Amino acid sequence: MTLVLWSHPYSAYGQKGLVALYELGLPFEPKLVDYADEAVMAAFLAISPFAKMPVLVDPAAGRTILESSIVIEYLDQLAGGGRLIPTDPDTALEARWVDRIIDIYVGGPMNRIVFHRLGRAGPPPEAVMTLDEREIATAWDLLEQRLSDGRTWGAGETFTLADCAAAPILTYARRLVPFGDRPRLKAWHGRLMARPSFRRALEDAAPFGDLMPAPPAVD
């Protein structure tokens, strides 16, 4: 039975899961999370109580997997292991570390800034958004330093979980907080933008237009 991925093509975390699926070549059925469709949302909330994307359903195994990083761990196991989660323990640890930095200290504040810019909680709290912008900038500095060993990808010389996370989240977050004078970070993002799996995820999102409340990055 085919895997089912509940998500929205424009969701950064959904794209993270899509990149993994495309990298591994696993067949799946996309299930659109449509907030305007009450029946769809009822079904989605039944498997994702916090309404977070993506959610992976494996009917053959009777498994429902929440949280994008765990989804990718599961997919890597299905594909035989050692692709997106390296077999070398130190490299695997580095991939998970970079993934956590991106998810928590870039993706988290990014989503809060977008929430406020869309006016979903009244007038945007500028002081709060400034703190979130500083958190993203701190993550940029940390990643720039981490890349100073000359690695090609987020955790070394192979494309891993770290890059699945970075491709969409860096793409959208740099529109809020520019990379600035961080050449290694820019170069890594350039490689991510050229990766066929991420280009395919962006093509999936294209029909939905530009939903990011910030202009494209120019730095």
Side-chain angles (χ1 to χ4, degrees), residues 10-200:
Y10 208 88
S11 161
Y13 289 99
Q15 287 180 12
K16 176 179 170 181
L18 277 176
V19 169
L21 283 162
Y22 291 148
E23 283 286 329
L24 297 170
L26 294 172
F28 72 99
E29 174 191 345
K31 189 74 173 178
L32 179 67
V33 176
D34 182 356
Y35 287 93
D37 189 318
E38 292 185 5
V40 167
M41 290 309 298
F44 177 58
L45 289 170
I47 61 171
S48 182
F50 299 107
K52 300 295 185 181
M53 299 176 277
V55 176
L56 181 75
V57 179
D58 184 350
R63 299 286 300 274
T64 297
I65 313 296
L66 307 178
E67 294 297 323
S68 59
S69 299
I70 309 304
V71 165
I72 292 173
E73 295 252 6
Y74 186 78
L75 291 173
D76 192 68
Q77 291 177 14
L78 283 182
R83 294 274 302 278
L84 300 178
I85 309 298
T87 54
D88 175 71
D90 289 339
T91 309
L93 190 64
E94 181 70 4
R96 292 185 177 102
W97 183 87
V98 172
D99 170 74
R100 292 295 78 217
I101 294 298
I102 291 169
D103 271 12
I104 296 170
Y105 302 108
V106 181
M110 175 188 75
N111 284 339
R112 291 192 294 270
I113 293 170
V114 169
F115 179 85
H116 290 306
R117 285 198 178 182
L118 291 174
R120 291 176 176 168
E126 297 298 333
V128 173
M129 291 198 300
T130 296
L131 290 175
D132 281 330
E133 290 168 0
R134 288 176 184 170
E135 190 163 289
I136 294 173
T138 298
W140 288 166
D141 288 338
L142 190 58
L143 292 169
E144 177 74 10
Q145 189 280 326
R146 207 70 168 191
L147 293 162
S148 65
D149 60 3
R151 66 186 64 178
T152 300
W153 299 108
E157 293 310 302
T158 60
F159 191 97
T160 68
L161 163 69
D163 304 289
C164 294
I169 294 176
L170 266 61
T171 296
Y172 297 123
R174 78 179 290 191
R175 294 174 64 167
L176 302 172
V177 180
F179 287 156
D181 186 20
R182 298 178 180 93
R184 300 182 190 95
L185 189 60
K186 289 180 183 178
W188 177 33
H189 185 245
R191 292 189 288 274
L192 293 168
M193 289 293 294
R195 189 78 176 186
S197 57
F198 182 48
R199 294 181 66 86
R200 189 173 174 185

